[in-house]
Amino acid sequence: MASVANQPLVFNAERDGLALEETSDKIDIVNVLKANLNRELCQAEKDIHEEATFDAGKDKCQFRQYEAACDRVKSFYREQHEKQTVAYNLKARNAFKSKTRAEMTVWEAMEKLNTLIDESDPDTSLSQIEHLLQSAEAIRRDGKPRWMQLTGLIHDLGKLLFFFDAQGQWDVVGDTFPVGCAFDERIIYPHTFKGNPDHDHEIYGTKNGIYTPGCGLDNIMLSWGHDEYLYHVVKDQSTLPDESLAMIRYHSFYPWHSAGAYMEFMDEKDEMMLAAVRAFNPYDLYSKSDDVPRVEDLKPYYMDLINEFFPNRVVRW
Ligand SMILES: O[C@H]1[C@H](O)[C@@H](O)[C@H](O)[C@@H](O)[C@H]1O
Ligand SMILES: [Fe+2]
Ligand SMILES: [Fe+2]
């Protein structure tokens, strides 16, 4: 008996008893299946590479080591955690709305920011312009959309506040957290909140405080600083999408996007925003160990990008 293996593998419609039309239908189906399979394989491959790629420098677990951080970082957070109160936040927000502090382009703002050394940051000794370019370049390298590259480039420009109305660095840099409800244990150095006047407040000191579960993060007052300030500037003066605005507004809200605190206040929209903020975070954090960018070489590319999303060029800060 001829073994199946010896039979020719060529498909013969007549021999196999199939009408021609039926055969071409079957071939169509096979082609569709093949195309689908191919698409799935490509997607799977993409998913594998979806996680941001960083090759240089430190291991991921070597970032944000606050217990081992130097005194400069520790005393920064003590001061911030003692002074960020509801009363201070209301005052800072009113002051922000009351005037325009400066008018300049995004690139000029980056240059102005360059002299600031961030006291809260245990992971970088580079200048701010270098950090911004490192983040943007890492996003560009991974083939992410242009709006996200620009988000990387500008995300810390809110630190300009330091040169305007700030009382120090404690109301400009560092991680953020909600005020008006109990301070969560998942915020770094949680014990330092004991010195905050709101800590034992009869309403602000309770779990939900002045908020209700599901109220949405847009309705939560986060400690005042560079995120919230830049969010307002960019929202009104650029064409960047909501995901970009969320990346800017919440990128320092580590207790939420990385430690899982305050989830009960989220609404439906925040679920999508959380995914965006989480996708952005590695580019902000881990790019700190990448090569130092060559500012002048990169400038032409980023000038085009800035002009694409800031139609008026000169920004009111
Ligand atoms: O020290 C850093 C730095 O100030 C960043 O700009 C901020 O986004 C981080 O949350 C913080 O940990
Ligand atoms: Fe930041
Ligand atoms: Fe940053």
Side-chain angles (χ1 to χ4, degrees):
M1 200 176 78
S3 87
V4 177
N6 290 337
Q7 285 173 11
L9 285 172
V10 182
F11 179 71
N12 180 312
E14 254 177 45
R15 184 199 62 208
D16 294 324
L18 287 166
L20 212 59
E21 247 174 76
E22 210 186 329
T23 311
S24 73
D25 278 346
K26 288 206 169 173
I27 291 172
D28 278 346
I29 292 173
V30 170
N31 282 341
V32 170
L33 287 175
K34 267 191 192 163
N36 283 346
L37 192 66
N38 221 355
R39 210 171 307 127
E40 268 170 34
L41 281 173
C42 290
Q43 189 52 49
E45 210 167 302
K46 256 171 107 188
D47 289 345
I48 291 169
H49 296 290
E50 197 61 346
E51 207 183 317
T53 49
F54 298 94
D55 25 47
K58 298 204 282 188
D59 216 273
K60 284 186 183 172
C61 60
Q62 289 174 283
F63 290 85
R64 294 180 58 84
Q65 292 301 309
Y66 287 99
E67 286 318 313
C70 62
D71 289 347
R72 168 187 63 114
V73 173
K74 287 182 176 160
S75 57
F76 164 85
Y77 274 108
R78 175 173 296 281
E79 184 178 20
Q80 182 188 60
H81 290 177
E82 289 178 354
K83 292 184 174 171
Q84 287 276 358
T85 59
V86 170
Y88 176 70
N89 263 266
L90 294 173
K91 210 174 101 195
R93 278 154 213 269
N94 279 335
F96 163 69
K97 284 190 208 126
S98 71
K99 60 176 189 264
T100 298
R101 282 141 291 270
E103 296 198 10
M104 59 190 148
T105 65
V106 166
W107 194 269
E108 284 165 351
M110 287 165 65
E111 285 174 338
K112 183 171 171 63
L113 188 61
N114 216 24
T115 54
L116 177 78
I117 304 289
D118 184 332
E119 287 172 1
S120 71
D121 195 337
D123 297 314
T124 190
S125 51
L126 293 190
S127 67
Q128 294 293 312
I129 202 167
E130 288 165 337
H131 168 58
L132 292 175
L133 281 165
Q134 275 179 329
S135 309
E137 280 289 280
I139 295 169
R140 171 149 80 125
R141 243 191 336 264
D142 274 0
K144 301 289 175 193
R146 286 170 70 78
W147 63 261
M148 191 169 166
Q149 298 172 26
L150 181 60
T151 307
L153 186 76
I154 64 173
H155 75 279
D156 274 340
L157 277 187
K159 292 180 188 175
L160 274 181
L161 259 186
F162 180 71
F163 301 102
F164 305 137
D165 297 333
Q167 303 208 351
Q169 289 210 10
W170 65 269
D171 56 345
V172 178
V173 300
D175 287 4
T176 56
F177 47 86
V179 295
C181 61
F183 303 112
D184 193 278
E185 280 297 307
R186 285 163 281 189
I187 303 170
I188 49 175
Y189 306 125
H191 60 280
T192 55
F193 284 105
K194 290 203 181 76
N196 185 305
D198 290 353
H199 184 267
D200 299 316
H201 186 277
E202 55 178 334
I203 296 166
Y204 307 154
T206 61
K207 171 109 175 65
N208 293 332
I210 56 176
Y211 310 111
T212 44
C215 64
L217 292 190
D218 279 354
N219 295 309
I220 299 279
M221 197 155 55
L222 288 180
S223 50
W224 177 253
H226 69 292
D227 295 22
E228 189 69 8
Y229 165 60
L230 185 69
Y231 163 75
H232 285 289
V233 171
V234 171
K235 181 167 126 331
D236 295 340
Q237 300 180 67
S238 80
T239 56
L240 285 165
D242 281 357
E243 284 77 4
S244 166
L245 298 178
M247 290 171 183
I248 291 170
R249 191 177 202 179
Y250 302 122
H251 78 268
S252 306
F253 192 10
Y254 276 84
W256 173 62
H257 66 65
S258 293
Y262 302 108
M263 295 281 174
E264 64 278 15
F265 294 132
M266 290 166 68
D267 63 14
E268 240 170 71
K269 179 187 165 210
D270 294 328
E271 298 287 346
M272 275 161 67
M273 298 303 119
L274 177 58
V277 176
R278 283 183 172 161
F280 175 77
N281 177 252
Y283 296 104
D284 182 13
L285 186 55
Y286 305 129
S287 70
K288 288 176 183 174
S289 66
D290 289 357
D291 291 342
V292 180
R294 298 159 69 99
V295 180
E296 284 311 309
D297 291 357
L298 295 170
K299 187 173 173 182
Y301 177 82
Y302 286 107
M303 287 303 273
D304 274 355
L305 201 54
I306 294 166
N307 293 339
E308 190 178 324
F309 293 94
F310 285 87
N312 293 334
R313 312 257 161 125
V314 177
V315 177
R316 295 183 308 279
W317 297 92

